Amino acid sequence: GGYESASKHFNPADVEVDVAGRSFLVTGANSGIGKATAKEIARRGGTVHLVCRNKERAEVAKEEIVTETGNQNIFLHIVDLSNPKEIWKFAEKFQNEHKLNVLINNAGCMVNNRELTEDGLEKNFATNTLGTYIMTTALVPLLEKAADARVITVSSGGMLVQKLNTSDLQSGNGTFDGTMVYAQNKRQQVVMTEQWAKAHRNIHFSVMHPGWADTPAVRSSMPDFYERMKNSLRTEAQGADTVLWLAVSAEATKLPSGLFFQDRQPVPTHLPLAYTHSPPEDEEKLMEVLEEFSQKFKSVSPG
């Protein structure tokens, strides 16, 4: 009932806005919270770019969004967020062809065994952390040209149990626990958001916990949790509510950039008395390492 009690304090007018003429990019938009967010933005007249990995599922999602909202300005881009070269290529092409006001980093994965991508990257890290890092930094120049530019990253309350660990980003040491690796990636997203907010003052950055929602990802990655909790999970639309609020409302940008949100409110990024705080040098180190990784996969295009 967390959503029900929180939503009593919401102002419905915050999200009853017309965003025609504004351009939104949503990663992982063919199901779950990504699709629910894309649909609500489309309903409000926004131009929506769906970035998805699976072409067939993405086409079905696009069709559904167009049919339900009557909005024809829905565009599909097939990109594997665990493949850094593909993200760079996409971002460079996108910058030449489109404008962008709001980037929503929603794509994520929780792989429960240690799998490597073709580039030799651990898959959760490649998608959740490096993929988010490259997509954002590659599109920052485009966002800097836009009015009221925003970046929203969908993290998770699971990150509260993790302290930033920059010494083992690929989870190669010790026993591999997919849930904890995912939580560590989500902590990394919070740190990235805080760092970006300091570096890019004319873009509004935020990161959020959608609450535990009944999504295909939760069903497939956390089956035991799903079975235990399925009667109290949020709907996809409820999980997407704060993403939508951060993306379209005027209220969101009245708050400082770089905060962590749940149910339209900024909330602490650490539990009381938790040993999860990191020294600033660890946070800077994360950004340096991600920048090195990111440049390694950036192809130098001729000319």
Side-chain angles (χ1 to χ4, degrees):
Y3 180 82
E4 277 71 24
S5 60
S7 62
K8 292 188 182 113
H9 307 288
F10 293 172
N11 178 0
D14 284 1
V15 293
E16 284 166 15
V17 287
D18 179 354
V19 290
R22 283 175 69 73
S23 171
F24 299 77
L25 188 158
V26 186
T27 68
N30 62 323
S31 70
I33 288 166
K35 185 171 80 172
T37 303
K39 199 178 282 181
E40 290 305 322
I41 292 168
R43 271 192 231 288
R44 289 158 176 77
T47 295
V48 188
H49 295 274
L50 313 174
V51 172
C52 309
R53 189 181 56 200
N54 181 303
K55 192 168 191 289
E56 290 71 36
R57 288 207 297 256
E59 282 170 349
V60 171
K62 178 189 167 177
E63 195 55 41
E64 183 187 316
I65 293 168
V66 170
T67 307
E68 283 191 29
T69 66
N71 185 337
Q72 298 294 324
N73 292 320
I74 312 297
F75 301 93
L76 195 50
H77 310 271
I78 304 303
V79 186
D80 181 349
L81 268 285
S82 72
N83 183 326
K85 294 189 204 79
E86 238 180 79
I87 303 171
W88 272 120
K89 213 177 291 175
F90 159 74
E92 284 168 6
K93 185 171 187 284
F94 189 89
Q95 296 205 54
N96 295 328
E97 296 172 3
H98 304 282
K99 65 168 207 158
L100 183 62
N101 298 89
V102 181
L103 166 62
I104 298 169
N105 291 309
N106 162 74
C109 70
M110 188 196 291
V111 180
N112 287 313
N113 297 306
R114 192 169 187 273
E115 280 177 36
L116 299 183
T117 68
E118 60 184 45
D119 297 304
L121 299 166
E122 189 277 316
K123 202 159 197 180
N124 294 290
F125 167 78
T127 309
N128 302 327
T129 303
L130 187 59
T132 299
Y133 179 87
I134 295 177
M135 182 64 81
T136 305
T137 51
L139 291 174
V140 155
L142 188 58
L143 287 159
E144 295 208 301
K145 297 176 191 164
D148 186 15
R150 310 181 186 193
V151 175
I152 297 117
T153 299
V154 178
S155 177
S156 164
M159 68 92 196
L160 290 165
V161 302
Q162 286 282 319
K163 177 180 179 173
L164 178 67
N165 174 9
T166 54
S167 64
D168 187 24
L169 290 176
Q170 310 257 14
S171 312
N173 306 335
T175 314
F176 186 91
D177 178 338
T179 310
M180 286 301 129
V181 171
Y182 178 81
Q184 173 65 217
N185 296 161
K186 296 290 157 180
R187 166 65 69 191
Q188 290 158 1
Q189 290 178 341
V190 169
V191 172
M192 290 191 288
T193 299
E194 292 168 348
Q195 297 295 316
W196 285 326
K198 289 179 198 164
H200 308 287
R201 300 288 185 178
N202 46 351
I203 300 172
H204 191 271
F205 289 88
S206 54
V207 58
M208 56 78 69
H209 172 41
W212 299 104
D214 184 352
T215 63
V218 166
R219 290 181 183 207
S220 64
S221 308
M222 305 169 74
D224 300 346
F225 171 80
Y226 173 72
E227 277 309 314
R228 265 201 330 272
M229 303 294 289
K230 61 185 174 190
N231 297 325
S232 54
L233 294 174
R234 297 175 176 213
T235 65
E236 291 170 348
Q238 290 171 346
D241 175 81
T242 295
V243 189
L244 179 72
W245 183 82
L246 288 164
V248 305
S249 80
E251 293 307 303
T253 52
K254 290 178 185 171
L255 293 158
S257 182
L259 299 179
F260 180 63
F261 287 83
Q262 182 175 350
D263 291 331
R264 303 192 189 183
Q265 292 286 327
V267 290
T269 54
H270 300 276
L271 294 168
L273 307 176
Y275 294 95
T276 52
H277 295 267
S278 297
E281 51 270 28
D282 283 10
E283 302 186 347
E284 285 154 23
K285 165 107 185 286
L286 174 70
M287 301 307 273
E288 283 162 22
V289 173
L290 291 176
E291 184 58 23
E292 276 167 36
F293 266 119
S294 135
Q295 291 303 324
K296 199 163 67 177
F297 294 107
K298 187 178 184 180
S299 62
V300 182
S301 44

